[in-house]
């Protein structure tokens, strides 16, 4: 019986064909789309568990495709690209990608990343089955069951990763949470990237919460260690 369905959006047959065979050997069901149009067709007809998305396609930019997919679904997306700058990585994550792989890449690495992302999604679904009570701190309510965030009476729109990071911090309000703990809990213990990703997401969270890093209402940086979320009484820590 086929395992999780992976949609590989890649126009280079020399990459797509052998990688699809590798996915099948690793126990996945592989769908290949050489164009954006075909990707959307397959996505609607045979919804995948994860999308591997090349950024350079003959009929569209993979970043636009990622934005469209993210509007339709929370399906995990791993971007495959030759663009390896820090800015490209940040843009990819900002539009909703769960991971970012730079060509040339090893097949073993991509398979490991696929399994890690699917495991995080599965763990998140398990948490949703027993989400716990909403966390309320200084006008901010983080509701794990509804995956909603309310700040001073207004809902705050967060990506899946931003929500997971905020919930991890809020559940430990008043405590120092190390960078390593956050990477393990929110990204996975097998995360391949640098912790720069964490800093980027913290920055996005602060902007969306109207937080000032210099005088934090919610997220305090503990230099050299990690971060501390405001204690339940509204203070940012001792």
């Amino acid at each position: 019986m086929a395992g999780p369905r992976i949609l590989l959006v890649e126009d280079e047959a020399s990459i797509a064909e052998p990688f699809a065979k590798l996915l099948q050997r690793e126990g996945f069901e592989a769908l290949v789309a050489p164009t954006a149009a075909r990707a959307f067709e397959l996505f609607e007809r045979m919804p995948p568990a994860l999308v591997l998305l090349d950024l350079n396609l003959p009929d569209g930019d993979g970043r636009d495709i990622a934005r469209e997919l993210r509007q339709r679904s929370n399906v995990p997306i791993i971007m495959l690209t030759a663009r390896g700058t820090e800015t490209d990585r940040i843009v990819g994550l900002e539009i909703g990608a769960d991971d970012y792989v730079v060509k040339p890449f090893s097949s073993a690495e991509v398979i490991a990343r696929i399994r890690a992302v699917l495991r995080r999604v599965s763990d998140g679904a398990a948490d949703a089955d027993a989400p716990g009570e909403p966390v309320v701190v200084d006008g901010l309510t983080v509701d794990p069951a509804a995956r909603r965030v309310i700040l001073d009476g207004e809902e705050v729109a967060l990506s899946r990763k931003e929500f997971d990071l905020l919930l991890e911090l809020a559940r430990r309000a008043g405590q120092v949470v190390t960078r390593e703990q956050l990477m393990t809990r929110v990204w996975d213990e097998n995360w391949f990237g640098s912790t720069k990703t964490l800093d980027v997401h913290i920055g996005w969270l602060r902007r969306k919460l109207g937080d000032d890093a210099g005088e934090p209402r919610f997220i305090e940086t503990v230099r050299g260690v990690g971060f501390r979320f405001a204690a339940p009484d509204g203070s940012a820590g001792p």
Side-chain angles (χ1 to χ4, degrees):
M1 195 168 178
R5 181 179 295 147
I6 308 298
L7 174 58
L8 173 59
V9 187
E10 169 63 67
D11 65 319
E12 293 185 42
S14 61
I15 295 176
E17 292 175 4
F19 200 79
K21 292 179 181 177
L22 173 64
L23 287 169
Q24 291 168 347
R25 289 198 301 271
E26 292 291 331
F28 298 101
E29 178 185 353
L31 301 176
V32 178
T35 64
R38 180 63 172 162
F40 287 126
E41 177 189 343
L42 288 174
F43 186 85
E44 294 298 331
R45 187 158 55 88
M46 305 175 69
L50 181 144
V51 177
L52 286 172
L53 176 61
D54 184 29
L55 291 192
N56 295 312
L57 295 168
D59 61 340
D61 189 310
R63 290 170 295 189
D64 295 329
I65 298 169
R67 290 188 185 95
E68 177 65 24
L69 291 178
R70 187 53 68 235
Q71 289 177 1
R72 301 185 186 190
S73 167
N74 281 326
V75 64
I77 299 172
I78 298 179
M79 289 186 168
L80 306 176
T81 179
R83 308 171 189 171
T85 69
E86 189 72 25
T87 299
D88 288 323
R89 291 173 184 266
I90 291 172
V91 168
L93 294 169
E94 190 169 27
I95 61 180
D98 294 81
D99 206 345
Y100 197 105
V101 183
V102 179
K103 299 176 182 178
F105 49 77
S106 74
S107 298
E109 178 184 349
V110 179
I111 293 296
R113 291 190 185 220
I114 290 172
R115 296 192 190 283
V117 170
L118 290 176
R119 184 166 56 248
R120 291 199 299 270
V121 172
S122 176
D123 290 345
D127 288 344
D129 291 337
E133 295 299 315
V135 180
V136 181
V137 178
D138 190 20
L140 179 73
T141 300
V142 184
D143 187 342
R147 291 187 69 85
R148 296 180 67 196
V149 175
I150 307 296
L151 174 61
D152 298 331
E154 298 290 332
E155 185 161 1
V156 180
L158 299 180
S159 70
R160 181 175 59 223
K161 196 65 65 182
E162 289 166 350
F163 181 88
D164 291 343
L165 177 57
L166 176 61
L167 180 61
E168 191 66 27
L169 288 167
R171 278 176 167 167
R172 291 160 177 75
Q175 304 174 25
V176 176
V177 186
T178 68
R179 300 174 69 86
E180 291 74 18
Q181 288 171 331
L182 288 170
M183 293 302 295
T184 296
R185 288 287 299 163
V186 179
W187 275 268
D188 190 78
E189 66 271 14
N190 296 317
W191 172 253
F192 290 87
S194 73
T195 57
K196 176 68 174 176
T197 299
L198 173 59
D199 295 316
V200 170
H201 280 78
I202 288 288
W204 293 339
L205 267 181
R206 280 177 167 149
R207 286 198 297 274
K208 291 184 177 182
L209 297 177
D211 211 10
D212 183 347
E215 297 182 11
R217 176 181 176 184
F218 295 114
I219 303 173
E220 176 190 1
T221 299
V222 182
R223 190 173 297 278
V225 181
F227 301 92
R228 177 167 46 216
F229 203 77
D233 63 2
S235 65

